[in-house]
Amino acid sequence: MKEVAKLGFVLTLVTVLAAAGLAMVYSITKPRIDAQGAMETESALIEALPQIDPASIEAVRDGDEIRYYRALDSDSQYLAFAYIANGSGYSSVIKTMVGVDKDGTLIGLKVLSQTETPGLGTKVEEIKYGEADPWFLRQFLGKKADGVAVKADGGEIVSITGATISSRALTKSVANGYTSLLKRLEADSAMASTSAEPDGSE
Amino acid sequence: MSAWKEFSKGFYKQNPVFKQALGLCPTLAVSSSVKNGLGMGLAATFVLICSNALISLIRKSVPNRIRIPIYIVVIATFVTIVDLSMAGFVPDLHKSLGIFVPLIVVNCIILGRAEAFAGKNNVGLAFLDGVGMGLGFTLALCLIGSIREIVGSGSLLGIPVLSASYEPVLMMILPPGAFLTIGFVLGFFNWIENRKKAN
Amino acid sequence: MEFQNLMIIALGAIFINNFIFSRFLGICPYIGVSKQLDSAIGMGMAVVFVMTLASAVTWLVDHYLLSPLPINVFYRLLTLQQPPDLVFLRTIAFILVIAALVQFVEMVVQKISPSLYNALGIYLPLITTNCAILGVAILNVDTQYSFIESIVHGFSAGVGFTLALILMAGIRERLELAEIPKSLQGIPIAFIMAGLMAMAFLGFSGLKIGM
């Protein structure tokens, strides 16, 4: 019995020492890990809303949930919006940060997360060697967000060979996300009747 | 002389993956590109070196009956340190390695070395053994990673190495490619051994 | 609705994200004990059993001891100002819980049913370092499954593992009679077959269940 107590004590001691050491490491790394998440969103916003001063972008929240992002110019006129689009792809949900200007023209897209089939669906965010941005997403730029669709659905977006499901999922989520953005904007402007009406909602 | 032997045996003679068939889960899972393989290999090497050194240091005060749980706690501690540090400093790599970072805990190479070597030898040798075995593991991951990346995406470390007209064999970066590559690589090493014996 | 959701998790874990063929978890026992059908079934049953239990216990440990939630036991008992954030202890806690659980299961099975112990006994100690068990525990937490979902996921992941093991054992038993190049005998050919089987399982990945 004494032997068991001794062994138990040694094991507990080792575990407590390990836990204490880890608590120290955790306290050092935690701020960095937290900052990492915020930085990811921030850099995605910069890619989705290029040529817009990142300092002017603000998140519109509903409690803890971020509903969309908006950028205001110095006269509190709307310049652009960004929203997160979720599309159910082949093997995962493709999450994309989408930027539109006040007329609803797409100005930037950045895939936040996806675990599609490597080599096929993952091409939605593939950047060819020597290029700066993903070639699939580039064809969205300058198009109206509400009308965007893949060719098979009567639109202009050329699907990725071998990854039509991922291509369509992302494209649809961009259009659907824009529709719900408009609804949210409308609801918000109805509440705050004095603030500038977003042009995109017309 | 013996120090060099302990260091270098992990590269080929006792390579953990090719010769001992240990640590196969991460070898299969994260070898779809050289970058992932390298990241995984170095993370495991760090854990292996630290746990080998520490276990060798405390080997005389560890009661024999509970040595395995204590080894596991030591290994899990270093794994968590690696996990937290990677999340903080290389978040992209951390994301693409996914649950295989915490799973270094149950990588049989590390517990295997603790039990077979570090628990019986002095710190210097245990350290060298850790470095050698870790680098051997990394080497194996990189070899398999480069085969899969070249054939499966036509690139190496993200840089295209085959002409643009090469149509990548997608299967190689999907799960089946991992099994097939390891199968044939292991077969290749067997073939070399068999030839050696025949001579 | 709830039931449908559980079915999706179960089918996903057995076929689409099969632990062996798609997630690469538990490869060592897969290669080690898939030589004969009997041992494959024994190992498979032991894994299903421990995985289901481990899913339940690690979920409880994570939610009641480690996570900074209002239900945290330390927060309640010690009347702390806010729930403590102990998630950094997850890896250590899970592996110790699993090791203790396996010991415990071994003792209980030995007492209650010697015949079951004879069938599973030799496989149980091997399970502690089976990365599939720790893997399922971490996956449950990462995907934020509820308690019931975790148990279903653990159970069906075990079933998927067993399925892979039995398929493999069936093939390997027949392979005994085949003529294989000398260099590929043993482990290499097992991997090559696993690759071919993984190709078949890849076909499941396009299944859209209830989505």
Side-chain angles (χ1 to χ4, degrees):
Chain A
M1 205 58 221
K2 211 175 139 204
E3 171 78 0
V4 172
K6 195 190 137 212
L7 292 181
F9 174 74
V10 173
L11 197 53
T12 316
L13 187 75
V14 171
T15 316
V16 168
L17 278 178
L22 285 182
M24 232 166 65
V25 177
Y26 187 57
S27 65
I28 300 168
T29 50
K30 189 165 192 313
R32 272 202 77 99
I33 296 172
D34 290 348
Q36 217 59 259
M39 251 160 62
E40 221 168 84
T41 317
E42 202 172 294
S43 69
L45 274 173
I46 292 174
E47 283 196 46
L49 301 173
Q51 291 153 9
I52 282 174
D53 176 16
S56 72
I57 303 173
E58 56 171 9
V60 180
R61 288 166 197 277
D62 186 9
D64 274 343
E65 186 206 4
I66 293 173
R67 304 174 65 208
Y68 57 89
Y69 299 87
R70 65 179 176 200
L72 304 165
D73 68 6
S74 48
D75 304 325
S76 358
Q77 291 291 319
Y78 290 104
L79 276 172
F81 303 93
Y83 56 92
I84 292 172
N86 294 306
S88 164
Y90 189 71
S91 56
S92 69
V93 172
I94 306 174
K95 212 168 144 190
T96 316
M97 178 75 82
V98 186
V100 288
D101 70 4
K102 59 183 181 352
D103 304 318
T105 307
L106 290 160
I107 52 178
L109 294 100
K110 162 85 182 163
V111 174
L112 296 172
S113 65
Q114 51 86 12
T115 48
E116 296 291 286
T117 317
L120 292 172
T122 50
K123 284 193 180 162
V124 293
E125 57 174 335
E126 182 192 55
I127 299 173
K128 285 209 173 126
Y129 183 68
E131 293 182 356
D133 53 341
W135 51 274
F136 175 69
L137 298 177
R138 204 180 300 143
Q139 45 178 336
F140 285 83
L141 303 182
K143 297 202 165 70
K144 291 279 184 197
D146 54 354
V148 73
V150 290
K151 279 212 161 132
D153 294 341
E156 295 176 78
I157 303 294
V158 181
S159 295
I160 297 163
T161 314
T164 45
I165 295 178
S166 313
S167 311
R168 177 183 277 163
L170 193 152
T171 312
K172 266 194 175 166
S173 76
V174 169
N176 291 344
Y178 185 68
T179 317
S180 46
L181 171 75
L182 289 187
K183 275 191 198 136
R184 285 172 169 177
L185 288 177
E186 219 165 281
D188 287 356
S189 66
M191 276 200 302
S193 53
T194 47
S195 66
E197 179 89 5
D199 297 340
S201 64
E202 282 154 17
Chain B
M1 200 52 218
S2 91
W4 170 249
K5 219 177 81 199
E6 299 304 351
F7 174 68
S8 63
K9 67 181 183 231
F11 293 161
Y12 182 76
K13 226 169 155 185
Q14 291 186 30
N15 187 292
V17 176
F18 298 136
K19 290 294 154 88
Q20 306 184 49
L22 293 176
L24 291 170
C25 298
T27 310
L28 287 161
V30 301
S31 61
S32 59
S33 72
V34 183
K35 198 179 129 224
N36 285 354
L38 196 62
M40 182 71 211
L42 293 180
T45 304
F46 173 81
V47 174
L48 190 51
I49 294 172
C50 294
S51 71
N52 255 10
L54 186 62
I55 285 168
S56 171
L57 268 179
I58 60 170
R59 72 184 187 278
K60 284 186 183 128
S61 31
V62 171
N64 195 36
R65 281 177 62 191
I66 52 165
R67 67 179 194 286
I68 300 283
I70 288 183
Y71 292 170
I72 290 181
V73 171
V74 169
I75 295 168
T77 309
F78 287 118
V79 169
T80 312
I81 292 175
V82 168
D83 193 14
L84 292 171
S85 315
M86 285 177 80
F89 294 94
V90 279
D92 289 340
L93 185 64
H94 185 257
K95 228 190 214 169
S96 59
L97 296 183
I99 64 164
F100 285 92
V101 180
L103 285 183
I104 297 175
V105 179
V106 281
N107 187 323
C108 0
I109 297 174
I110 294 168
L111 191 59
R113 289 330 285 171
E115 174 73 358
F117 197 88
K120 294 173 190 151
N121 288 284
N122 68 38
V123 184
L125 288 182
F127 176 82
L128 287 176
D129 177 75
V131 180
M133 282 292 165
L135 291 181
F137 179 57
T138 312
L139 215 64
L141 281 172
C142 288
L143 174 68
I144 292 166
S146 45
I147 294 174
R148 290 181 68 193
E149 196 181 341
I150 292 175
V151 184
S153 358
S155 62
L156 195 62
L157 281 165
I159 302 161
V161 289
L162 297 173
S163 76
S165 62
Y166 173 73
E167 191 62 46
V169 184
L170 265 182
M171 196 54 81
M172 290 300 279
I173 50 172
L174 295 174
F179 287 109
L180 293 177
T181 312
I182 296 215
F184 283 112
V185 169
L186 288 176
F188 176 70
F189 282 111
N190 279 348
W191 181 71
I192 291 180
E193 287 302 306
N194 288 340
R195 274 183 63 121
K196 257 195 212 156
K197 266 182 221 148
N199 285 341
Chain C
M1 197 56 219
E2 174 69 3
F3 179 72
Q4 199 184 352
N5 179 31
L6 295 179
M7 278 304 284
I8 292 173
I9 291 175
L11 289 176
I14 296 174
F15 295 111
I16 303 171
N17 292 314
N18 185 285
F19 262 45
I20 300 278
F21 295 132
S22 158
R23 287 204 201 271
F24 305 114
L25 292 168
I27 303 292
C28 298
Y30 175 66
I31 296 296
V33 296
S34 64
K35 285 188 196 117
Q36 281 164 355
L37 209 50
D38 293 349
S39 53
I41 294 172
M43 180 70 177
M45 272 166 51
V47 167
V48 172
F49 191 54
V50 173
M51 253 187 183
T52 315
L53 262 179
S55 291
V57 176
T58 51
W59 191 92
L60 293 174
V61 167
D62 192 66
H63 281 72
Y64 285 95
L65 295 178
L66 303 178
S67 293
L69 299 170
I71 50 168
N72 189 297
V73 170
F74 297 123
Y75 171 60
R76 284 233 182 125
L77 289 183
L78 308 175
T79 55
L80 301 171
Q81 289 203 320
Q82 58 186 41
D85 180 7
L86 298 174
V87 285
F88 61 91
L89 290 178
R90 198 174 270 159
T91 311
I92 285 199
F94 280 13
I95 188 75
L96 286 179
V97 164
I98 290 169
L101 188 74
V102 172
Q103 284 281 321
F104 180 71
V105 168
E106 199 179 343
M107 274 169 10
V108 170
V109 171
Q110 196 173 9
K111 277 259 158 62
I112 295 178
S113 163
S115 60
L116 188 64
Y117 181 76
N118 283 338
L120 302 186
I122 46 167
Y123 303 110
L124 283 171
L126 291 175
I127 282 180
T128 312
T129 50
N130 180 344
C131 53
I133 313 284
L134 183 61
V136 82
I138 297 175
L139 280 172
N140 284 338
V141 174
D142 277 357
T143 18
Q144 300 180 329
Y145 280 144
S146 72
F147 185 60
I148 302 291
E149 284 171 340
S150 294
I151 292 177
V152 170
H153 182 239
F155 177 77
S156 34
V159 171
F161 178 86
T162 310
L163 179 70
L165 215 57
I166 290 175
L167 284 175
M168 187 71 172
I171 299 177
R172 276 178 96 168
E173 278 193 349
R174 310 216 75 185
L175 216 59
E176 295 281 307
L177 308 169
E179 225 173 286
I180 304 164
K182 199 176 164 218
S183 312
L184 291 180
Q185 278 168 10
I187 298 177
I189 194 71
F191 269 114
I192 292 167
M193 271 175 348
L196 298 177
M197 220 118 75
M199 272 184 214
F201 269 73
L202 204 59
F204 288 118
S205 70
L207 272 185
K208 284 261 180 290
I209 319 164
M211 281 203 228

